[in-house]
């Protein structure tokens, strides 16, 4: 651990130079290099003054791997994004699920009546019934999805040779689809529990654990994955188109406006478009998924995707059956996805700024301490010579 002049291995600064460094530190360079066994390592950071470039030890700058910090930041941002978005639209989401799993005809008027009756009979907070199960599911789901999307973008960028650049359309779609599929596979039972709680009265399931226990005892553990196939088939176009649309709109905006980052309201608009396109493309499979998830409590028996679709079409018609509640989804979906994408991006930006600020302060403190000790050593050396 030492300060070195350019090209030399021993100290060559006099006392006044050291004092100047302590008084006015200026960070000049941060170099990151990839090591074979240790991931990303922090390289040289220092101060430049009077033609001298001191070298600062790596532990002064950073604690932990940048890759690890990036993953943690993505997980935290995704979790917050999912929680905020779903809580904002929870009453509309619950109403949509109730219509999806029933044979009642959907209309905006009937949806309003259902929300109003629920409010009168059970109170205002009942509109968020099942939201605790939603949070238990959506927080890990959104965290995994957004984090996986960042990782898949990096992997596909390396594979296709787009290092540090925006992906082309096909890899952009693939990254979103893989991210959604990964998150759905890891959190699916929580989605089924949330659907059950949304369509049943409080007396049937008291809490999330109670849902798991009753389903396991009465219907078997395999029921926890009922509707898994349509979920995966639906999430591929939904997540793929959502991320593809949002990333594409941001790129078009940057190309035409000259601003690298859109304003928050512009992010909301891009996310709304992404949600509208993604949910419209996958909506029939979403209806099938909900029917299969709630079959045990709604008095129906559904086998697989195609028989379920045929039964819905036979009993309710193609449009009224498979697209029931879509108009409400056109209100709820864009709001939720817009909030989700915007919250994720803004949280990522905030966390990066906090990390940079923390690193700068840590560097300054480390440099001041190191320079003070070095100055004291020089003073002792001068006294020894005298």
């Amino acid at each position: 651990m030492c300060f070195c002049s350019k090209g030399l291995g021993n100290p060559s600064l006099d006392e006044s130079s050291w004092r100047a460094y302590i008084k006015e530190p200026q960070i000049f360079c941060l170099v990151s290099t990839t090591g074979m066994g240790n991931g990303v390592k922090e390289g040289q950071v220092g101060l430049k003054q009077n033609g001298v470039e001191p070298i600062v030890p790596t532990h002064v700058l950073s604690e932990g791997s940048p890759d690890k910090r990036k993953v943690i930041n993505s997980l935290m941002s995704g979790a917050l994004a999912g929680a905020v978005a779903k809580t904002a639209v929870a009453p509309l989401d619950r109403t949509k699920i109730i219509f999806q799993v029933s044979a009642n005809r959907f209309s905006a008027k009937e949806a309003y009546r259902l929300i109003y009756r629920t409010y009168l009979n059970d109170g205002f907070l009942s509109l968020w019934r099942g939201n605790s199960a939603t949070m238990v599911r959506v927080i890990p789901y959104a965290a995994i999805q957004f984090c996986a999307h960042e990782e898949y973008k990096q992997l596909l960028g390396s594979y296709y040779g787009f290092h540090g650049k925006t992906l082309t359309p096909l890899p952009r779609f693939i990254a979103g689809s893989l991210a959604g599929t990964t998150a759905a596979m890891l959190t699916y039972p929580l989605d089924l529990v949330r659907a059950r709680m949304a369509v049943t009265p409080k007396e049937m399931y008291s809490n999330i654990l109670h849902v798991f226990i009753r389903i396991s005892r009465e219907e078997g553990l395999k029921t926890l994955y009922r509707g898994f196939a349509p979920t995966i088939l639906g999430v591929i176009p939904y997540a793929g188109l959502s991320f593809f649309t949002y990333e594409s709109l941001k790129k078009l905006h940057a190309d035409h406006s000259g601003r690298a980052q859109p304003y928050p309201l512009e992010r909301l608009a891009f996310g709304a478009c992404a949600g509208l396109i993604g949910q419209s493309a996958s909506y029939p499979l979403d209806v099938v998924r909900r029917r299969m998830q709630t079959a045990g409590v709604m008095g129906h028996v559904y086998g697989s995707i195609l028989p379920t679709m045929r039964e819905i079409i036979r009993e309710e018609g193609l449009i009224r059956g498979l697209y029931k509640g879509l108009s409400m989804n056109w209100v709820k979906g864009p709001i939720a996805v817009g909030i989700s994408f915007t919250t994720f991006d803004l949280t990522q930006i905030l966390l990066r700024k906090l990390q940079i600020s923390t690193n700068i302060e840590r560097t300054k403190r480390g440099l001041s301490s190191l320079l003070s000790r070095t100055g004291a050593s020089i003073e002792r050396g001068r006294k020894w010579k005298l």
Side-chain angles (χ1 to χ4, degrees):
M1 182 169 65
C2 68
F3 276 73
C4 303
S5 61
K6 191 182 295 184
L8 298 176
N10 57 342
S12 62
L13 294 179
D14 57 22
E15 184 179 359
S16 61
S17 296
W18 290 117
R19 299 301 177 192
Y21 277 119
I22 296 172
K23 190 175 181 181
E24 296 182 358
Q26 295 177 359
I27 293 176
F28 75 89
C29 167
L30 171 59
V31 180
S32 294
T33 57
T34 303
M36 294 298 292
N38 300 321
V40 178
K41 299 177 179 178
E42 296 293 346
Q44 177 178 326
V45 173
L47 310 173
K48 186 171 183 179
Q49 188 167 335
N50 298 330
V52 180
E53 295 178 355
I55 297 173
V56 180
T58 57
H59 73 270
V60 171
L61 286 170
S62 175
E63 296 174 1
S65 165
D67 280 345
K68 184 178 179 180
R69 287 201 306 272
K70 180 184 174 185
V71 170
I72 292 173
N73 287 351
S74 295
L75 288 171
M76 291 173 59
S77 302
L80 180 62
V84 172
K86 281 296 184 181
T87 300
V89 299
L92 295 176
D93 204 25
R94 181 176 182 272
T95 303
K96 182 203 72 172
I97 293 174
I98 291 172
F99 275 102
Q100 281 182 328
V101 301
S102 70
N104 297 330
R105 183 176 176 180
F106 174 84
S107 68
K109 187 176 181 180
E110 288 301 316
Y112 170 76
R113 284 179 177 175
L114 176 60
I115 293 173
Y116 187 64
R117 281 199 305 270
T118 303
Y119 165 70
L120 289 179
N121 296 334
D122 301 316
F124 180 71
L125 292 180
S126 66
L127 296 174
W128 276 265
R129 172 164 167 74
N131 195 51
S132 58
T134 300
M135 290 299 102
V136 171
R137 170 198 169 254
V138 83
I139 287 175
Y141 179 89
I144 293 169
Q145 179 177 241
F146 279 106
C147 182
H149 182 247
E150 295 298 310
E151 296 303 309
Y152 284 131
K153 280 200 303 183
Q154 186 173 337
L155 288 173
L156 290 169
S158 300
Y159 180 79
Y160 287 101
F162 299 109
H163 300 281
K165 299 178 182 178
T166 304
L167 295 176
T168 52
L170 180 59
R172 214 177 296 159
F173 176 82
I174 293 172
S177 297
L178 289 174
T181 302
T182 301
M185 289 176 65
L186 294 175
T187 62
Y188 183 76
L190 295 171
D191 185 45
L192 182 140
V193 168
R194 173 250 186 166
R196 288 288 182 97
M197 291 190 73
V199 301
T200 54
K202 291 184 292 185
E203 296 76 19
M204 187 167 187
Y205 297 120
S206 57
N207 54 50
I208 298 169
L209 183 61
H210 189 207
V211 181
F212 277 109
I213 293 172
R214 283 197 61 174
I215 289 176
S216 301
R217 287 177 180 174
E218 299 173 8
E219 303 175 54
L221 285 174
K222 67 178 182 180
T223 303
L224 292 173
Y225 279 88
R226 181 182 290 163
F228 180 72
T231 298
I232 296 300
L233 290 176
V235 84
I236 290 172
Y238 168 67
L241 286 171
S242 294
F243 279 105
F244 167 80
T245 303
Y246 185 69
E247 296 288 326
S248 298
L249 289 174
K250 284 205 301 183
K251 184 179 183 301
L252 287 172
H253 173 272
D255 292 342
H256 288 82
S257 70
R259 286 187 284 114
Q261 297 295 338
Y263 297 127
L265 286 178
E266 291 171 332
R267 293 181 192 275
L268 280 171
F270 299 160
C273 292
L276 186 66
I277 294 171
Q279 293 193 352
S280 297
S282 61
Y283 195 79
L285 287 167
D286 188 45
V287 173
V288 172
R289 168 174 69 117
R290 295 302 185 197
R291 293 294 179 96
M292 295 177 71
Q293 286 178 337
T294 59
V297 295
M298 300 302 292
H300 292 279
V301 177
Y302 295 116
S304 58
I305 298 173
L306 291 178
T308 302
M309 277 189 169
R310 282 198 294 267
E311 184 172 342
I312 292 171
I313 293 171
R314 185 177 65 252
E315 293 180 356
E316 304 170 47
L318 175 64
I319 304 299
R320 292 181 179 177
L322 292 180
Y323 288 91
K324 180 184 291 183
L326 179 59
S327 58
M328 176 172 286
N329 229 41
W330 282 344
V331 176
K332 175 194 76 72
I335 294 173
V337 178
I339 292 173
S340 181
F341 278 124
T342 302
T343 304
F344 176 79
D345 279 354
L346 296 182
T347 306
Q348 283 279 80
I349 292 170
L350 176 62
L351 289 174
R352 280 197 294 267
K353 288 182 177 179
L354 290 175
Q355 188 66 53
I356 292 170
S357 177
T358 301
N359 284 344
I360 290 173
E361 291 302 318
R362 187 185 297 130
T363 301
K364 288 182 178 180
R365 288 196 301 269
L367 288 174
S368 296
S369 175
L370 180 62
L371 292 170
S372 296
R373 291 197 301 271
T374 306
S377 298
I378 292 173
E379 187 67 28
R380 286 195 299 271
R382 293 176 65 180
K383 289 179 179 180
W384 180 79
K385 288 181 180 180
L386 293 174

